Amino acid sequence: MKLVRTGPLGQEKPGMIDAEGRIRDLSGHVADISGDVLSPKGLQALKAIDPASLPLVEGNPRYGAPVAGVSKILCIGLNYSDHAAETGAQPPTEPIIFTKQINALCGPNDDVEQPRGSDALDWEVELAVIVGSRAKYVSQSEAMDYVAGFAVMNDVSERTFQTKRQGQWTKGKSHDTFGPLGPWLVTRDEVADPHDLGMWLDVNGERRQTGNSSTLIFNLPHLVSYVSQYMTLMPGDVITTGTPPGVGMGMKPPQYLKVGDVMTLGIDGLGEQKQTVVAARP
């Protein structure tokens, strides 16, 4: 299934994509795409619904982030060996975990804000894992049982804030709109091999990133299990799993985003996003 949330910001309604690519309204069955809806039992109940029985959503509504009730956005740094090389870093021996604050979460085609004082705004196409069940101290062998599905995320980053302003990476990752997610959550059963997904990102129509999830340093079961040793994962939590090479910071000389630039990005089978950079709003 492809699960979506569409409508104005703060008023999104749950839906699913039918075989013809049309949005079907799920609000008669579930309040939102969150909590128990993301559990194996909840997803099985949705799968039993005939999409043709659901009302069509007319027009071209805004896509919101495809999951609600997110308590944590956890990011894995330098998880592609070729990306680590382009940044001059050694590949890590354990997953690097940092956080992106919830206020960064936005829809896949919403504008991305350039913060005040920003001079190094960067892009990162990433495969995101959406947690479906409470996970604490899970093994690698059972880790994927706790995953509801996958989505595209652009891990937008301000590199000066991230690397030159002291402290941890969080403040370079957490401005409003720094977490476009979607357009949809693709359930785990719909993805034959999440470790063989092509990914790409363009800026103003020029290819910047090309990669494949087959080159992850730490695979998805490893990441879910690893993170669950340090904190309890809850339904709706998002784990972004790293980015392939081609970020602005790694270019020679570095190239960064400015107001008016347009990012388009996607991952095989998980859909595409498009964002325009705008000046930060109050």
Side-chain angles (χ1 to χ4, degrees):
M1 290 181 293
K2 293 184 175 70
L3 301 177
V4 298
R5 299 172 66 249
T6 59
L9 180 65
Q11 303 175 43
E12 295 93 343
K13 292 185 177 182
M16 68 168 58
I17 304 298
D18 68 16
E20 287 73 42
R22 299 172 298 185
I23 304 168
R24 296 283 184 164
D25 186 355
L26 270 173
S27 59
H29 293 265
V30 295
D32 214 335
I33 308 298
S34 61
D36 289 345
V37 173
L38 295 168
S39 70
K41 182 178 179 180
L43 294 177
Q44 192 62 37
L46 291 185
K47 192 174 182 179
I49 299 171
D50 178 4
S53 69
L54 301 171
L56 275 172
V57 176
E58 303 291 349
N60 295 294
R62 168 188 172 271
Y63 283 89
V67 59
V70 178
S71 71
K72 296 184 288 296
I73 303 173
L74 302 168
C75 306
I76 308 299
L78 302 176
N79 198 29
Y80 286 75
S81 56
D82 37 11
H83 171 57
E86 75 173 343
T87 65
Q90 290 294 320
T93 56
E94 290 190 44
I96 297 171
I97 303 173
F98 62 92
T99 61
K100 183 184 285 285
Q101 298 302 304
I102 300 303
N103 60 281
L105 194 64
C106 66
N109 304 315
D110 291 348
D111 291 339
V112 164
E113 296 185 7
Q114 181 166 24
R116 295 175 182 178
S118 164
D119 61 7
L121 188 65
D122 209 345
W123 55 84
E124 295 189 11
V125 59
E126 303 211 7
L127 169 63
V129 172
I130 313 300
V131 176
S133 304
R134 180 183 181 275
K136 184 176 183 180
Y137 298 129
V138 302
S139 67
Q140 291 190 38
S141 63
E142 64 183 355
M144 296 307 287
D145 295 340
Y146 293 83
V147 172
F150 310 98
V152 181
M153 177 173 266
N154 188 354
D155 177 19
V156 182
S157 308
E158 214 300 327
R159 302 302 189 186
T160 297
F161 296 178
Q162 178 187 353
T163 63
K164 298 180 180 179
R165 293 289 182 87
Q166 301 300 315
Q168 298 180 346
W169 292 358
T170 303
K171 61 179 172 281
K173 297 283 188 171
S174 298
H175 192 272
D176 295 349
T177 73
F178 272 22
L181 185 69
W184 33 69
L185 182 162
V186 181
T187 52
R188 183 163 48 91
D189 61 306
E190 293 282 327
V191 180
D193 184 0
H195 299 101
D196 187 19
L197 299 176
M199 19 192 346
W200 58 274
L201 183 145
D202 295 347
V203 177
N204 299 328
E206 295 185 7
R207 186 58 44 96
R208 292 287 185 261
Q209 289 186 273
T210 303
N212 191 286
S213 59
S214 62
T215 62
L216 286 166
I217 297 172
F218 303 106
N219 67 18
L220 305 188
H222 187 127
L223 294 176
V224 174
S225 173
Y226 185 87
V227 174
S228 79
Q229 308 306 307
Y230 297 97
M231 64 199 79
T232 301
L233 296 168
M234 301 302 293
D237 283 353
V238 178
I239 303 173
T240 68
T241 58
T243 197
V247 299
M249 178 174 62
M251 300 178 75
K252 302 187 186 304
Q255 295 184 24
Y256 294 117
L257 297 163
K258 61 185 183 300
V259 170
D261 285 344
V262 177
M263 294 174 281
T264 51
L265 57 147
I267 298 178
D268 290 349
L270 303 185
E272 299 183 6
Q273 302 183 352
K274 182 177 182 179
Q275 300 108 28
T276 299
V277 179
V278 300
R281 306 177 179 94

